[in-house]
Amino acid sequence: YSPERFDESASAPDHPHLAALEAESIRIIREAVSAATKPAMLFSLGKDSMVMWTLAKKAFWPEPPPIPLALIDSRWEFQEVYRVRDYIDSQPGTQFLVHTNPEAISLDVNPFDFGSAGHTDITRTQGLRQFLDANRFDFVFGGGRRDEERSRAKERVFSIRNANHGWDPKAQRPELWNVYNTVVPRGQSMRVFPLSNWTELDVWRYIQQHNVPVAPLYFSKVRPFVQRQGAL
């Protein structure tokens, strides 16, 4: 098995600005790793994660990236997503760390009985905090982009988190041009967003231009479905 890829024979338009974005992201990844004692990369198996993983591999080629991939597993992902995880896990040099909230297992938390918000809070939000508390990573990479929503637009590339993993936008440091402050105060941690300056269109153009594998669910296809409460 391998994830879906764009047809290599298809003509991929040249977008010169992607080279500048790629170079910037690779520099951010290298700078963060050089300052880190125990880094990790939050990995959702989505398109942004796949691009970030591709950039990390380029940053340290021919050696594998010295960054474990951290997946918070809700146990309710699509099977195609789990097959992508298995594919990535099979790649040489890949380090995968998977965590599931034990409470979610004991209560059999699912999106039907607990609702989407309750399921997300227990499996993802609380699960992520458990994972970070247990491992005490000092630098944690994320695939967030500033164009996603208004709160993301306030994020720095190097974003300080307090001891409870909280984010205070007023406490963030200024980032002038490409000068980054990588000092982490005692008891706190750093979130790093290499794709901050990318747009969603940039991500898809990069995926096409570099043939980055992504989960097949992104692409249209005739699939089985069920009808539940009047919805398909």
Side-chain angles (χ1 to χ4, degrees), residues 35-50:
T37 301
K38 192 177 182 182
M41 181 175 287
L42 296 180
F43 204 75
S44 69
L45 297 165
K47 67 183 188 311
D48 301 293
S49 290
M50 297 301 289

Side-chain angles (χ1 to χ4, degrees), residues 159-181:
S159 182
I160 287 289
R161 293 296 196 270
N162 62 30
N164 296 318
H165 315 295
W167 172 61
D168 180 2
K170 296 181 180 179
Q172 300 303 311
R173 303 157 177 174
E175 287 183 343
L176 306 176
W177 298 284
N178 58 353
V179 178
Y180 304 115
N181 187 337

Side-chain angles (χ1 to χ4, degrees), residues 129 132-133 136-137 160-167 184-190:
R129 287 175 179 168
L132 295 176
D133 286 337
R136 309 308 302 177
F137 298 109
I160 287 289
R161 293 296 196 270
N162 62 30
N164 296 318
H165 315 295
W167 172 61
V184 181
R186 183 181 297 275
Q188 300 185 8
S189 61
M190 186 80 78

Side-chain angles (χ1 to χ4, degrees), residues 144-155:
R145 307 184 318 272
R146 290 195 181 110
D147 76 327
E148 291 184 84
E149 57 180 353
R150 284 179 292 181
S151 63
R152 293 280 194 185
K154 299 178 182 178
E155 277 281 16

Side-chain angles (χ1 to χ4, degrees), residues 94-167:
T94 304
Q95 308 172 60
F96 235 122
L97 303 175
V98 181
H99 176 75
T100 300
N101 185 349
E103 182 183 2
I105 298 175
S106 63
L107 296 177
D108 192 22
V109 174
N110 62 79
F112 306 108
D113 297 326
F114 286 76
S116 177
H119 171 258
T120 299
D121 177 64
I122 296 173
T123 61
R124 299 193 184 282
T125 305
Q126 295 182 32
L128 175 59
R129 287 175 179 168
Q130 291 171 355
F131 177 78
L132 295 176
D133 286 337
N135 290 277
R136 309 308 302 177
F137 298 109
D138 55 350
F139 281 73
V140 180
F141 292 90
R145 307 184 318 272
R146 290 195 181 110
D147 76 327
E148 291 184 84
E149 57 180 353
R150 284 179 292 181
S151 63
R152 293 280 194 185
K154 299 178 182 178
E155 277 281 16
R156 302 291 193 265
V157 175
F158 285 79
S159 182
I160 287 289
R161 293 296 196 270
N162 62 30
N164 296 318
H165 315 295
W167 172 61

Side-chain angles (χ1 to χ4, degrees), residues 44-45 77-86 215-217:
S44 69
L45 297 165
E77 308 296 342
F78 288 100
Q79 291 304 309
E80 288 93 334
V81 174
Y82 285 119
R83 285 196 285 271
V84 173
R85 181 192 67 183
D86 294 340
L217 289 169

